[in-house]
Amino acid sequence: MEFFRVDLLDLWRGRLSLRRIGVLIDSLMKKAGRSTLLMAMDERAAWADSDHLLARVSDALELSNFLFLKANSEHSEDLELPVPIPRPGEPESQPEPEFSTPQELTDFFGHMNSL
């Protein structure tokens, strides 16, 4: 094992127990960063935490630009919702978001002003 400097052949030589291997595997699963074992068990581990955060920031920026243009453009009907960056271990298709109608927004803010 790369991180613990343990030879797995010691299991057959009688110098390593199954319990010890279980403890080492459990600690590998909790280890920060990328590991082959973790990627085999969970596809999301193919990306580091910073990669996931950058993808989320990029998606949020694209969405905020879309909403800004949608609110301030005369031709907002032609704009398409930005496609999020595909991430490992997540389903390809994302549900379409539902936007409120102008009447629902008017009712909501009218209710907020009456409080």
Side-chain angles (χ1 to χ4, degrees), residues 2-113:
E2 179 182 347
F3 292 108
F4 303 111
R5 306 282 186 230
V6 174
D7 187 6
L8 289 179
L9 289 176
D10 285 345
L11 176 65
W12 285 270
R13 294 178 189 137
R15 291 182 262 176
L16 187 62
S17 68
L18 287 175
R19 182 183 179 285
R20 178 72 177 146
I21 290 177
V23 169
L24 294 175
I25 289 174
D26 187 45
S27 64
L28 270 179
M29 295 300 293
K30 296 175 184 172
K31 196 166 192 60
R34 298 183 234 177
S35 71
T36 307
L37 174 66
L38 193 55
M39 283 191 288
M41 297 181 78
D42 186 5
E43 292 178 8
R44 292 176 293 174
W47 280 11
D49 289 339
S50 59
D51 296 334
H52 284 281
L53 288 172
L54 282 172
R56 187 168 180 186
V57 167
S58 175
D59 289 344
L61 183 60
E62 285 187 21
L63 183 61
S64 70
N65 287 339
F66 167 78
L67 293 174
F68 177 80
L69 290 174
K70 187 96 169 155
N72 296 308
S73 176
E74 294 176 4
H75 306 289
S76 62
E77 300 84 27
D78 301 336
L79 294 175
E80 294 182 15
L81 192 65
V83 178
I85 295 173
R87 292 160 176 81
E90 291 187 6
E92 293 289 325
S93 62
Q94 297 289 332
E96 283 291 321
E98 295 181 21
F99 294 106
S100 300
T101 63
Q103 184 60 41
E104 289 173 334
L105 288 174
T106 304
D107 293 343
F108 174 76
F109 286 118
H111 176 71
M112 294 298 288
N113 284 336

